[in-house]
Amino acid sequence: MPESHSLAPPEAAPEHLTLSWDSCVSRTLVHRKAVAEVLLTDARALPDGRFLLAAQWPRSYATSITSGSGSGSGSGSGSDERHDPMLAAETIRQVGLYICRRFLGAPSTSKPVIRSVGFQLDNSTEPVVGYGATDVLCRAEVSDVRHVDDVPWPVALSVRIQFSAAGREFGSAFGRVRVLSEEEYDTLRGPNAAAAPVPDDVHRRPSPAEVSVPSPGDVMLVRDPSGSLLVAPADLRHPRFFDHPSDHVPGMVLLEAARQAACLAGASPGRLSGCHLRALRFTEWNSPVHVECAPAEDGWTFQVTQAGDTTASGTLSFATKG
């Protein structure tokens, strides 16, 4: 197992801090069922709403195939193979949940809801996948914290983190979270929480190669008879995207579906280097979910619609090289 690391903290930090990469944090604090899907291993609170967190990015965690890296399976066969960029989105998701529950008092029964999430990676400084997991340091800052009377924990907050590995910064991520009580969540969800995914038996599913994923189970889309793209994961027990049952289409699924839709719309063969998803409302299982991508000046835009309403939208950017 990796050893603990001594870190040179920021100016306002205590004189000495040690983070450990030896074992993961409690899975319940990051809303995961499987220990293998927990990325965070340790955390320390600093002054002024700042935190240091340790994360491990496993080499087996791969969905998109990186340029020059062979199959993208994490085998280490390509000398320039990088981690799946979607790890950045999953890391900010877990960081937001963990800070809320470990440091800000939100109970484990609370229901955090993602309002926005995104990341930006620097291909020139990203860590190369080695023989084991990559130890990642996350410097986090919390802002725009909202409180209401009679609730001891924040009901909404924003988190921004800087990623570094082996002393080199290589990217950033951000997110906005709304924290609901169980009662608030149940009231908001209503009967939609019991809806089951819509069957897609009559639709055509793209091949893994068409959407740059290693296996059929990683494909998140189908085409309806008119040729429109629908969000319909091939594997509703996918170990990462469906680590636990969900009463709505998860934001990570929408983001990956948008990336795959961009591939089908003609995005360059480069790998994802940045994104921003804004969730306007819950995307439900009980009716078809459409996703469209279009080229823009700095990359691609995407829109997720259901029953004629936009449920999520955002942007994607791709690097020219892996």
Side-chain angles (χ1 to χ4, degrees):
M1 298 292 291
E3 298 179 352
S4 299
H5 295 239
S6 293
L7 303 172
E11 291 182 8
E15 293 182 359
H16 181 78
L17 285 175
T18 300
L19 290 177
S20 173
W21 278 262
D22 285 347
S23 60
C24 65
V25 303
S26 171
R27 58 185 179 167
T28 61
L29 296 181
V30 294
H31 200 196
R32 283 300 191 184
K33 284 283 189 182
V35 171
E37 298 302 321
V38 178
L39 302 182
L40 302 185
T41 63
D42 201 4
R44 298 287 184 272
L46 305 178
D48 304 324
R50 293 178 296 115
F51 304 86
L52 290 180
L53 301 101
Q56 273 208 338
W57 286 10
R59 71 177 189 176
S60 60
Y61 195 120
T63 296
S64 55
I65 298 173
T66 62
S67 155
S69 64
S71 68
S73 64
S75 64
S77 59
S79 61
D80 65 345
E81 185 175 9
R82 303 295 200 271
H83 291 283
D84 181 356
M86 294 293 284
L87 271 168
E90 176 59 21
T91 301
I92 184 64
R93 189 194 74 83
Q94 293 192 18
V95 165
L97 294 180
Y98 189 76
I99 288 176
C100 285
R101 291 169 169 169
R102 172 68 176 82
F103 297 107
L104 302 182
S108 60
T109 55
S110 62
K111 301 289 188 178
V113 177
I114 295 174
R115 301 303 302 269
S116 67
V117 64
F119 63 82
Q120 188 67 46
L121 300 176
D122 183 346
N123 276 175
S124 67
T125 57
E126 273 186 86
V128 174
V129 176
Y131 287 102
T134 297
D135 293 344
V136 177
L137 172 65
C138 306
R139 298 188 185 274
E141 183 171 0
V142 171
S143 62
D144 299 326
V145 179
R146 186 164 68 88
H147 290 270
V148 297
D149 294 340
D150 301 324
V151 178
W153 59 85
V155 298
L157 69 155
S158 296
V159 182
R160 181 171 291 274
I161 58 179
Q162 293 291 133
F163 297 120
S164 62
R168 300 181 71 191
E169 288 194 357
F170 65 89
S172 61
F174 58 89
R176 178 74 179 171
V177 181
R178 181 182 176 190
V179 185
L180 303 172
S181 68
E182 284 187 295
E183 294 77 11
E184 289 173 323
Y185 188 84
D186 291 344
T187 300
L188 186 62
R189 297 300 292 123
N192 289 323
V198 175
D200 61 87
D201 298 342
V202 300
H203 300 145
R204 185 182 72 81
R205 191 173 295 279
S207 69
E210 288 179 282
V211 293
S212 296
V213 295
S215 70
D218 294 312
V219 179
M220 296 290 159
L221 302 171
V222 295
R223 288 193 184 277
D224 68 13
S226 72
S228 297
L229 291 173
L230 304 179
V231 179
D235 182 3
L236 290 173
R237 294 191 177 185
H238 193 287
R240 180 152 26 89
F241 293 104
F242 297 100
D243 166 80
H244 53 272
S246 179
D247 65 11
H248 61 278
V249 184
M252 292 291 289
V253 170
L254 297 179
L255 191 53
E256 174 60 16
R259 186 199 66 77
Q260 294 183 17
C263 291
L264 294 174
S268 69
R271 64 195 290 267
L272 192 66
S273 62
C275 67
H276 183 191
L277 177 143
R278 296 174 292 274
L280 305 179
R281 63 190 68 188
F282 286 100
T283 302
E284 309 293 356
W285 287 118
N286 57 5
S287 64
V289 180
H290 295 261
V291 58
E292 295 182 0
C293 281
E297 183 177 353
D298 297 323
W300 292 76
T301 62
F302 66 87
Q303 185 174 32
V304 179
T305 58
Q306 186 170 45
D309 294 324
T310 300
T311 63
S313 63
T315 60
L316 304 167
S317 58
F318 292 83
T320 56
K321 290 184 178 181

